Each structure stands twice: as C-alpha cells, then as structure tokens.
Amino acid sequence: MKHRDAFLHVGGSSLFVDDFKLPRDILHAAVLVSPVSHGEIEILETDEALSIPGVEAVITAKDIPGENQIGNIIMDELLLAEKEVHFIGEPIAVVLADTPEKARKAVKAIRLETRKLPSVIDPREAFEKCMLIAPPRTFSMGSVSKAWKECDCVVEGRADSGGQEHLYLETQGSFAIPTENGCIRITSGTQGPTFVQKIAARVLNVPMNKIEVDIGRLGGAFGGKEDQATPWAVMAALGVHLTGRPVKLVLNRNEDITWTGKRHPYSSDFKLGLQSDGTMIAWEVTYYQNGGAASDLSTAILERTLFHSTNAYFIPNVKATGICCKTNLPPNTAFRGFGAPQAMFVIESAIYSASEKIGISPRKIQEKNLLEKGNIFPFGMAYEGSEIRLSWKQADGLYRKENTGKRVKNYNSSNVMFKKGVSFMPVCFGISFTNISLNQANALVHVYTDGSVGISTGAVEMGQGVNTKIAQVAARTFGIDLSRIKLESTNTTRAANTSPTAASSAADMNGNATRIALELYTPAFGERHSRNSISTLSGVK
C-alpha cells in the first residue's frame, strides 16, 4: 500500500509545526545566541530590545522558575547560558514579540559583550587537555599484546570521518499554548515527546502531568530531532509560563544548520594484525569522538561504536577504546547508524591498508573473516545467526563484483574528466536501544460503535511510514479494511512514558503493542475478556 500521508503531501494539506492556524494573541520567539565558540558573558543588556513596540518579553536564565538544565544522560547542558558560552549558537536569551520580524529585530538590539576564551574543536587536542565528557571505555577480548607475535602482517594507521548535517526538510520548531489549571500544550517537531515533557516540567518546575506534548508528523529527522528538538520546545513553553500567551518558535534554515549538532566526527588510530592468508588475528583501535560542548547522546553513541568495532568480522583478539571528547562545537547528536558507521569506516580502512601490504584483495580478506555461528563479539555476545556468509554469496553473485570492477577500470582508463568507483562491504548492525528499559511501547485502541478504530501509540511519523505499518497491523489483526482505521497524533496524554522513535525499533515495538491490544478484542483471545466486547465486534468486517 502507499504511504498514508502521500495524498496529503501531494495536495499540500498535511500539517507540520509551521502550518497550524494559531490564536491571534500568539507571540513569536527569536533567540539570541553566542557569536563566539568560547567566552565569558560580560554584558547582557535588554532594555533597548524591550523598548521596541510589540516586544512582550526578553527571557534570560534568571527568569527560569525551575532548573536551567536540559541534559539527558548527563546533566551538563543549560537551556540558556548564564556566565559562560561554549559554542557558536548557544542560546543566551529568548525574545517574545507579536511578529517574527519584531522578535528578530529585538534580538539585534540586545547588547551582548563577551570576552573570548581559548576554544578547542579537535577531539585529539581535547583529549590531551583532559576535556572529556565521560571517562574512556574499553571493550576487549583475548590478548592483542600476545597476538601481534602471531601475525605475518601488521598495519597501523589513522582514519578520520567528518560530521554530517541531517538536512531534514522541516527545520526545528514548536509552539505552545496555555490551557486551564496552569497546564501547557506543546506541539513539537520531536522524535522524543516524553523527553520534551520531562525537560519542560523540570525547567518550569511543574509536574509532568501539567505538560502535554503532541506531534502530528515531522518533516524528516534522521536522529536530529531525538534530543535537539527539546530546547526550542522548552523555550516556547517557558514563554507561555511567563506571559500566559501562546508562543511559537521556528528556526530558519541558516539558524538550524549553524546552531544544531551533527553526526559525530571521529578521529581514530588503528592497528590490525593478519596471517599471510588474510585471517585477521588482532585488532586494536582507539576512537576519539568529537562530542561537542555537551553530552547530548554522545556516550550512548560511543557505546554503539564500540559494539560495532569489528563490524561483520570475527577477530579473536580485540582491544577497542572509545573516548568522548568535549569541544567547542554545538553538541553533536544522533544520526542514522548512531555511531556504527564511524566504527565500520575504521575497520574497512584498515582492511584496505592490509590488502595493499599483504597482496590480497580487500574482498577476499572481508569474505575470509565473516562471522560464523558461535563466534563471540568483543562485548561478549555470541553470534547465533548463519545468514552473513549466505548474504555475501548472494550479493556477490547478484552484482558480479569481478565484472563490475573490470567495467569501472575500463571506464576510468578511457575517461579523463569523470571517474567511477566500486566498493563491496558487509554490515553487521544491531537495532533497538542499548538502554534496555527503552525497548518498550504501548498502544491505546478505541473501537467506536460504528466499527471504526482510532489508534494512539508512542511512535512518531517522520516520513518513514510507521503509521502506515501500524495501520496494516491493525487491519490484519482485526480483519477489517484500512479505511476504518485512523492513526491519532502522538500525544503524551494518550501514550505516556514513551521511548523516542529511534533505534530502528518504533514499528516493531509500537506495532506489536497495537497487535496485543487488538488481540484482547478478538474471539481467538476473548475467553479471558468481556463477552460484550467480543459480541460487539464480531460483526465488524
């Protein structure tokens, strides 16, 4: 079936954060950020900005009623800077005005003076200066120090991988509306509605049940809205809390690219030992991760890097060390692969270096060392599958690797301006959260008297089709047509304590939660449930 939102998108009727019709008294927010990568705030004067007609408020750290802290794994990131700034784009103040233009004009009217301090952007330099977000971690197996003597070939080198911008079509944004009894409803472009709810409650010093977070859909995310959608949503909620009026905050493209974190850059040292036939015996690697100015999800991402340090290969002696370095860049964050691509790049680079020295093609080294059932990963888990070698063989035959290589070589020898390349690489990637408690989901199913069904889960639709998949699960489980099923927005009042839509697991977890909820109504599972529910639904087709 087609993506359920396809017709809405094509017709221009799908609603994203910036598309909703909002109350007339809404205030628009603009953010003053640090112009330097590291410095002390010496002067912050807002009087001129407040004097501009239409400006309602200028919010700084001193106005926060609760805790000025938006950290998740480690409490090391302020919502609004207080005395010191640590990266270009770090929020310092939020202006609220009756139009976006006035808000941005007022930001320019704020007098900000900073004293520049030395900044570090290279993770190796940060390591040398003991600028760490967390202590180094090492995964090891066997003994690399003893194994080097058994190797016929040893290669050493360095592999660097840069950052990467998510470039989702919809920029970061949110709006918040006051509701009765001191409650606030936030519409946010986030992958993690519960995290937004929790942090907003922390900053405003209110219970979580006073904060409702709602998400209809996202215009892309790719990990960039798992944690980094939070500050903009919390700023909007803070504006509501302080003024009692609705507040909207949407970043423009330049702001989004400049102020938000990227895929983590890594700089890595490797040492690989092999026998003369290409069998890999020992692997030692150190990853210098560029975490940026705050932890965000860096420690979890580095852990995933360590899990994937040997990719799809078995190496009996391994020592993999990960170092989470603090630099003066925007906090780097989740991105598709979540640290695994960085690790895979390093070991593939080592294999190519070894192939040049030992005289065996990279493909033969790769194939010879693929995992077999019973092999142990460096973190202690046994490989229980048997598909890797079969997949390799099928892919090799399907794409005719040798012929493709010859075609590329012939093309390059006869073309000066354009060149082609070919690469063949296995991937062993683990899905789900390494924090086991996050591997959970819930579903709320409403069955109406006319036979139509409404489903709420914690999954966030961001273009990947998770709502379409859940609708398919419901239609098949209930035995009804897809037209009878509606997927509601993701809302913390209907799906509480949710995990982020991340780790390639949302469809599996939320889809199964939906299936279990629906099975409670079906005759096959009905003996332990109300016969009224069964009889009401037995005629639904």
Side-chain angles (χ1 to χ4, degrees):
M1 63 175 291
K2 294 182 175 66
H3 193 296
R4 295 199 110 197
D5 287 350
F7 292 105
L8 296 175
H9 294 337
V10 172
S13 58
S14 49
L15 296 177
F16 296 88
V17 169
D18 204 23
D19 298 322
F20 285 84
K21 293 181 180 179
L22 298 172
R24 283 189 171 184
D25 64 339
I26 193 162
L27 294 170
H28 296 268
V31 185
L32 172 72
V33 301
S34 171
V36 298
S37 57
H38 191 201
E40 290 182 351
I41 298 174
E42 294 187 327
I43 296 175
L44 180 61
E45 294 181 355
T46 62
D47 291 347
E48 184 178 345
L50 284 167
S51 68
I52 296 175
V55 173
E56 179 73 14
V58 178
I59 303 170
T60 62
K62 62 182 177 57
D63 300 308
I64 293 175
E67 188 177 352
N68 184 19
Q69 179 57 247
I70 60 171
N72 185 1
I73 298 174
I74 299 173
M75 302 295 107
D76 66 346
E77 185 175 0
L78 302 182
L79 177 66
L80 299 174
E82 296 176 349
K83 298 178 180 179
E84 192 172 328
V85 288
H86 301 89
F87 63 93
I88 293 173
E90 181 172 2
I92 298 172
V94 182
V95 175
L96 305 179
D98 57 16
T99 69
E101 294 76 17
K102 290 177 183 178
R104 294 182 187 280
K105 179 181 178 182
V107 164
K108 295 178 180 179
I110 296 174
R111 184 186 175 195
L112 172 67
E113 292 186 10
T114 60
R115 182 175 70 87
K116 286 189 177 181
L117 297 174
S119 60
V120 174
I121 59 172
D122 180 77
R124 291 176 182 267
E125 182 183 352
F127 174 69
E128 292 173 358
K129 295 182 177 181
C130 295
M131 295 170 58
L132 304 182
I133 288 173
R137 294 188 65 183
T138 298
F139 285 10
S140 63
M141 179 174 66
S143 174
V144 291
S145 58
K146 295 179 180 179
W148 300 127
K149 301 174 184 178
E150 305 173 16
C151 299
D152 299 317
C153 171
V154 177
V155 293
E156 298 181 64
R158 168 173 167 168
D160 291 348
S161 56
Q164 185 179 3
E165 166 61 33
H166 302 85
L167 208 67
Y168 26 70
L169 293 180
E170 178 192 26
T171 60
Q172 300 278 7
S174 66
F175 63 85
I177 297 174
T179 58
E180 64 180 15
N181 198 27
C183 298
I184 297 174
R185 187 175 192 265
I186 304 171
T187 297
S188 171
T190 180
Q191 295 173 246
T194 293
F195 185 55
V196 169
Q197 180 190 31
K198 180 177 71 173
I199 301 303
R202 178 197 295 169
V203 171
L204 302 186
N205 194 27
V206 299
M208 287 177 66
N209 64 8
K210 294 279 190 180
I211 305 295
E212 174 189 353
V213 179
D214 187 83
I215 305 105
R217 64 175 60 82
L218 308 185
F222 317 111
K225 296 175 183 176
E226 185 172 348
D227 264 31
Q228 300 223 341
T230 302
W232 323 111
V234 174
M235 288 175 198
L238 178 60
V240 172
H241 185 82
L242 295 175
T243 66
R245 292 172 59 179
V247 173
K248 180 178 179 180
L249 173 55
V250 176
L251 303 189
N252 64 37
R253 180 64 64 186
N254 184 66
E255 292 168 342
D256 194 302
I257 291 177
T258 306
W259 301 350
T260 64
K262 318 301 176 192
R263 185 190 294 279
H264 286 75
Y266 277 59
S267 183
S268 305
D269 295 324
F270 64 80
K271 184 177 182 180
L272 176 64
L274 309 89
Q275 292 180 337
S276 58
D277 64 354
T279 301
M280 292 191 283
I281 299 297
W283 173 239
E284 186 170 0
V285 59
T286 300
Y287 306 104
Y288 297 93
Q289 181 200 56
N290 193 330
S295 61
D296 195 273
L297 294 167
S298 295
T299 53
I301 291 165
L302 185 61
E303 183 179 58
R304 178 77 71 165
T305 299
L306 294 171
F307 284 145
H308 292 81
S309 60
T310 54
N311 194 14
Y313 312 112
F314 173 67
I315 307 175
N317 303 283
V318 176
K319 183 180 180 182
T321 300
I323 306 170
C324 188
C325 303
K326 183 175 182 177
T327 64
N328 296 111
L329 295 176
N332 288 310
T333 192
F335 203 122
R336 288 294 296 160
F338 206 76
Q342 291 95 322
M344 296 172 186
F345 175 74
V346 178
I347 194 166
E348 296 299 326
S349 298
I351 288 172
Y352 271 73
S353 295
S355 75
E356 293 178 347
K357 186 173 182 179
I358 206 172
I360 299 176
S361 71
R363 187 171 68 89
K364 290 183 178 179
I365 297 175
Q366 292 169 320
E367 184 175 13
K368 188 172 188 62
N369 293 279
L370 289 172
L371 288 162
E372 295 181 343
K373 189 172 184 177
N375 287 160
I376 305 298
F377 290 100
F379 49 89
M381 179 184 289
Y383 173 63
E384 298 177 358
S386 58
E387 297 84 6
I388 288 180
R389 289 181 176 271
L390 177 61
S391 297
W392 176 277
K393 184 178 180 180
Q394 290 178 340
D396 193 30
L398 182 64
Y399 294 102
R400 298 182 180 88
K401 175 63 171 63
E402 296 296 342
N403 291 338
T404 303
K406 290 178 181 178
R407 291 201 305 271
V408 169
K409 186 176 181 180
N410 291 337
Y411 179 90
N412 290 340
S413 64
S414 59
N415 286 272
V416 176
M417 299 301 295
F418 299 94
K419 302 293 182 182
K420 291 183 179 181
V422 60
S423 177
F424 207 69
M425 171 184 165
V427 169
C428 180
F429 182 75
I431 66 170
S432 79
F433 293 96
T434 51
N435 182 344
I436 302 302
S437 65
L438 294 177
N439 294 315
Q440 55 83 26
N442 60 68
L444 173 64
V445 179
H446 287 154
V447 180
Y448 299 99
T449 56
D450 66 352
S452 62
V453 178
I455 300 173
S456 296
T457 74
V460 175
E461 176 61 61
M462 47 189 169
Q464 85 281 38
V466 68
N467 284 349
T468 304
K469 297 169 189 174
I470 292 172
Q472 289 175 310
V473 169
R476 181 173 296 184
T477 305
F478 251 172
I480 62 177
D481 191 82
L482 280 160
S483 63
R484 291 180 175 269
I485 298 166
K486 178 188 176 188
L487 267 294
E488 308 289 352
S489 63
T490 308
N491 189 291
T492 54
T493 64
R494 294 189 298 268
N497 306 319
T498 60
S499 298
T501 298
S504 304
S505 59
D508 285 348
M509 293 197 302
N510 291 277
N512 272 294
T514 301
R515 177 185 59 82
I516 293 168
L518 291 169
E519 285 173 347
L520 301 180
Y521 288 92
T522 60
F525 294 82
E527 289 301 318
R528 60 184 185 272
H529 303 290
S530 165
R531 290 192 176 275
N532 287 332
S533 295
I534 298 168
S535 62
T536 299
L537 295 165
S538 60
V540 175
K541 300 295 184 182

